[in-house]
Amino acid sequence: QVQPVESGGGLVQAGGSLRLSCAASGRTFSSYSMGWFRQVPGKEREFVAAISRGGGSIYYADSVKGRFTISRDNAKNTMYLQMTSLKSEDTAVYFCAAAQGFYRDLAEKYAYWGQGTQVTVSS
């Protein structure tokens, strides 16, 4: 079992950058594929990016491809989301989640979720 905790959210101007972190408790972090999702109030949760257990497979939503980079450090039990060229439409609560398989954008397959961190991009 793993419990993800997000950090690094905040307010940034359009065109700026921000790095989110997801620290996961437990000694089995490397056994889980991880993903980032985001949600705007009143809208469905949206997939952002996913990374496999060892980091060898990565998958991005088209909306963030080329701007966001997902990575992980299994020795630190931490996953990251480097966000650049931020746009106002990136404003959302960002969640990290863990799954036992590499399920890419299938939110229902992720068993463990963090509480989220707010990212606000001002135009």
Side-chain angles (χ1 to χ4, degrees):
Q1 191 167 347
V2 63
Q3 181 56 54
V5 178
E6 305 91 342
S7 63
L11 175 64
V12 62
Q13 288 189 333
S17 299
L18 206 59
R19 189 176 82 157
L20 304 182
S21 298
C22 173
S25 62
R27 292 179 289 179
T28 58
F29 176 75
S30 60
S31 299
Y32 293 87
S33 293
M34 302 294 293
W36 286 101
F37 293 78
R38 63 188 182 187
Q39 189 169 22
V40 175
K43 294 189 176 181
E44 290 191 358
R45 192 166 294 188
E46 177 191 19
F47 169 76
V48 176
I51 188 167
S52 60
R53 296 183 185 95
S57 295
I58 287 174
Y59 184 63
Y60 294 102
D62 287 343
S63 59
V64 306
K65 203 172 293 182
R67 300 188 299 121
F68 290 10
T69 302
I70 189 172
S71 63
R72 66 189 296 164
D73 185 339
N74 286 343
K76 296 182 178 179
N77 281 11
T78 303
M79 173 181 65
Y80 305 97
L81 185 68
Q82 180 67 49
M83 304 185 292
T84 63
S85 302
L86 282 161
K87 307 174 182 179
S88 57
E89 51 263 44
D90 294 318
T91 295
V93 177
Y94 283 70
F95 298 88
C96 66
Q100 292 191 314
F102 186 52
Y103 294 112
R104 297 185 177 185
D105 58 349
L106 298 179
E108 65 272 20
K109 294 292 189 179
Y110 288 78
Y112 305 100
W113 291 82
Q115 294 299 307
T117 185
Q118 176 71 47
V119 172
T120 303
V121 183
S122 62
S123 55

